[in-house]
Amino acid sequence: IMSDSWTIKAYQHKNGKRTLIEWATGFGTRQAREYFQMMYDTNEYSEIRMSRAKPSDITLYRKTEENSCT
């Protein structure tokens, strides 16, 4: 079974270096396409990649109280 989960990574290239500046995973296909298109339309990134996520790539973090601003 192929999971319907996608990862999107956006990069900028400066001084010959590729830097990952935005990363998101866990999107369904339609949601991923919409997010990809939105990022593309901003014209902020020199490279955007969308790939099927491996289950090992998907990690969810919940913000804890101690990390939130007061």
Side-chain angles (χ1 to χ4, degrees), residues 8 27-38 50:
I8 296 174
F27 291 107
T29 303
R30 195 186 87 239
Q31 191 182 23
R33 285 184 181 149
E34 289 172 0
Y35 191 73
F36 185 96
Q37 187 66 50
M38 180 199 73
M50 177 175 154

Side-chain angles (χ1 to χ4, degrees), residues 7-8 14 17 27 33 37 40-43 49-51 54 58 65 69:
T7 297
I8 296 174
K14 287 183 182 167
K17 290 183 181 178
F27 291 107
R33 285 184 181 149
Q37 187 66 50
Y40 180 82
D41 290 345
T42 67
N43 210 21
R49 293 178 171 263
M50 177 175 154
S51 58
K54 297 187 296 276
I58 300 169
E65 288 300 312
C69 297

Side-chain angles (χ1 to χ4, degrees), residues 1 10 17 20 23 25 29 46 55 57 59 61 67 70:
I1 282 181
K17 290 183 181 178
L20 177 65
W23 181 88
T25 194
T29 303
S46 52
D57 289 345
T59 306
Y61 293 98
N67 292 343
T70 54

